[in-house]
Amino acid sequence: MRKEVVLITGANGEIGHGLITYLGQQGNVNIIALDVQPLDEELKPYCMRTIQGDILDQMLLGRMVVEFEIRSIFHLASILSTKAEYNPETAHRINVEGTLNLLRLAVEQSQWQGQPVKFIYPSSIAAYGIPSLEVKNSLGKVKENEWGNPITMYGCNKLYCEHLGRYYAYHYRQLAAEPEKSSIDFRCLRFPGLISAMTVPTGGTSDYGPEMLHHAAQNLPYKCFVRPDTRLPFMAMPDAVKALLMLHEAPREKLTQTVYNVTSFSPSAEEIYHMVLKYFPQAQVEFSPHLSRQRIVDSWPADIDDSVARQDWGWKPDYDFERAFEEYLIPAIRQRYTA
Ligand code: SER
């Protein structure tokens, strides 16, 4: 008998750490963790199996189809926005072909199982593209279907993969005998920038938020690569994990769209700096904007409208800006760096 499992790709990444730790502590799912890097030791006890491998390796994915009954996939692996600009075609392969491989795996699994496999896909505010800072500053909360002209390869990849998921869920092999059984159950979140106390992201453009905090906590000087007035939506990692799991659990009939915005708070870089100073008065931050990274964040909305997620599946973050620092980030980060 094949074992029923949840597959998490990009397991060693920022969201992977948060999700595996949470699910592992709940202890009621068999996690298969896939990452191109060896999985961190601290995550291994939570996983039934850890696989070091590439989502572009179709033989590897094929073997997984045979070995496991994959009920849900959290496809977290991707190359983030800044890093993707250094090698856009490689990023495209990993972000798009990698996702296509996982979608194909999900379809095969669904056919074997005679029921849809859930496919949870984290998209991003990078899927938006606002033409200028003036326009950005004039907008209120941006809805899912607005401003969809991303200026980064990562943003294009995310937006396209949202469509790929929708295609595989609703339009792939429409002539199959029982499409309702063989198609996948694709659900997608558009995340804002994420801040975790346990990990720092690599290669993203919202990274100045977490980097500022992690540098201050280690007493290191930090050069912030955006202007102080730069404003982006952010979310604390426990809320990101909560959003993924709430969307995973939501009754299918409640979902009125494939892609949902979720957000918590929208501070400027200067407000993040002041919040960091409140807890680490010795923090040394110099604002030294990097032209192309600044341009990327200037094309992302300052705030997004997550009212449909709130309506359809009861989304509500636990942490606002103050609470995220006071009750989650600061205690956990102090513990982390003193340990
Ligand atoms: N945090 C991501 C990045 O900056 C956006 O999803 O690339």
Side-chain angles (χ1 to χ4, degrees):
M1 258 282 276
R2 295 183 315 156
K3 289 219 166 66
E4 271 194 25
V5 301
V6 169
L7 170 63
I8 301 180
T9 73
N12 220 18
E14 220 200 349
I15 307 179
H17 268 82
L19 183 63
I20 291 176
T21 307
Y22 182 86
L23 286 176
Q25 286 169 352
Q26 302 293 302
N28 48 12
V29 283
N30 295 319
I31 299 173
I32 305 296
L34 174 63
D35 201 288
V36 75
Q37 303 290 340
L39 195 71
D40 273 0
E41 287 302 323
E42 66 194 44
L43 295 180
K44 285 186 181 164
Y46 298 134
C47 302
M48 189 179 99
R49 177 85 71 84
T50 64
I51 302 172
Q52 187 179 354
D54 195 330
I55 53 171
L56 296 175
D57 180 349
Q58 301 209 23
M59 287 293 286
L60 172 68
L61 298 183
R63 286 202 299 276
M64 288 172 60
V65 174
V66 179
E67 196 174 344
F68 301 110
E69 184 165 325
I70 300 170
R71 296 294 307 124
S72 302
I73 299 173
F74 290 86
H75 175 40
L76 312 178
S78 100
I79 302 286
L80 294 184
S81 55
T82 293
K83 196 167 170 200
E85 290 309 294
Y86 288 104
N87 198 335
E89 286 162 20
T90 303
H92 184 278
R93 288 198 66 204
I94 294 166
N95 293 347
V96 176
E97 286 176 42
T99 300
L100 193 67
N101 288 345
L102 267 304
L103 287 166
R104 191 183 300 118
L105 180 147
V107 171
E108 277 176 40
Q109 281 279 334
S110 298
Q111 286 166 347
W112 269 59
Q113 294 175 26
Q115 57 182 329
V117 164
K118 279 189 192 164
F119 194 111
I120 310 297
Y121 181 67
S123 183
S124 158
I125 39 162
Y128 291 108
I130 297 166
S132 70
L133 189 56
E134 292 69 54
V135 177
K136 169 169 170 161
N137 290 338
S138 72
L139 299 175
K141 291 171 181 279
V142 174
K143 292 190 197 314
E144 285 88 346
N145 59 358
E146 298 173 324
W147 303 103
N149 288 305
I151 67 163
T152 60
M153 177 53 98
Y154 172 77
C156 294
N157 295 163
K158 285 291 180 188
L159 187 60
Y160 176 58
C161 287
E162 294 176 359
H163 287 293
L164 269 184
R166 185 177 50 77
Y167 166 76
Y168 272 94
Y170 297 110
H171 306 290
Y172 181 67
R173 294 193 181 160
Q174 289 206 336
L175 300 177
E178 294 180 289
E180 72 287 353
K181 286 188 180 165
S182 60
S183 70
I184 62 174
D185 185 352
F186 179 85
R187 304 170 178 206
C188 173
L189 289 171
R190 271 197 203 151
F191 274 131
L194 300 178
I195 313 187
S196 165
M198 309 318 286
T199 43
V200 218
T202 36
T205 321
S206 57
D207 295 7
Y208 62 88
E211 282 175 359
M212 215 187 289
L213 173 64
H214 281 257
H215 277 70
Q218 296 171 87
N219 219 354
L220 298 169
Y222 182 62
K223 243 189 188 184
C224 180
F225 56 81
V226 295
R227 291 184 318 268
D229 66 295
T230 305
R231 195 175 288 281
L232 277 190
F234 278 95
M235 181 181 284
M237 188 53 75
D239 273 332
V241 170
K242 173 177 157 172
L244 286 167
L245 295 174
M246 280 186 82
L247 181 61
H248 179 268
E249 294 309 318
R252 180 73 249 171
E253 64 279 7
K254 295 269 184 210
L255 304 183
T256 59
Q257 51 193 50
T258 306
V259 178
Y260 288 94
N261 278 344
V262 282
T263 190
S264 299
F265 44 87
S266 272
S268 67
E270 190 170 23
E271 286 163 356
I272 299 179
Y273 170 52
H274 286 299
M275 188 61 94
V276 167
L277 267 186
K278 179 173 159 191
Y279 295 99
F280 300 104
Q282 84 299 345
Q284 300 167 55
V285 176
E286 182 196 336
F287 286 89
S288 171
H290 180 283
L291 214 65
S292 24
R293 295 183 100 182
Q294 182 71 58
R295 187 161 168 261
I296 293 174
V297 288
D298 286 346
S299 78
W300 293 349
D303 201 0
I304 50 176
D305 181 340
D306 61 1
S307 56
V308 188
R310 287 173 184 260
Q311 253 162 45
D312 283 7
W313 42 277
W315 160 247
K316 191 171 178 296
D318 288 332
Y319 295 93
D320 61 18
F321 189 35
E322 278 75 26
R323 195 162 170 235
F325 274 76
E326 197 175 314
E327 293 181 28
Y328 162 63
L329 290 167
I330 300 298
I333 216 165
R334 284 210 168 111
Q335 195 183 10
R336 179 187 163 169
Y337 290 117
T338 41

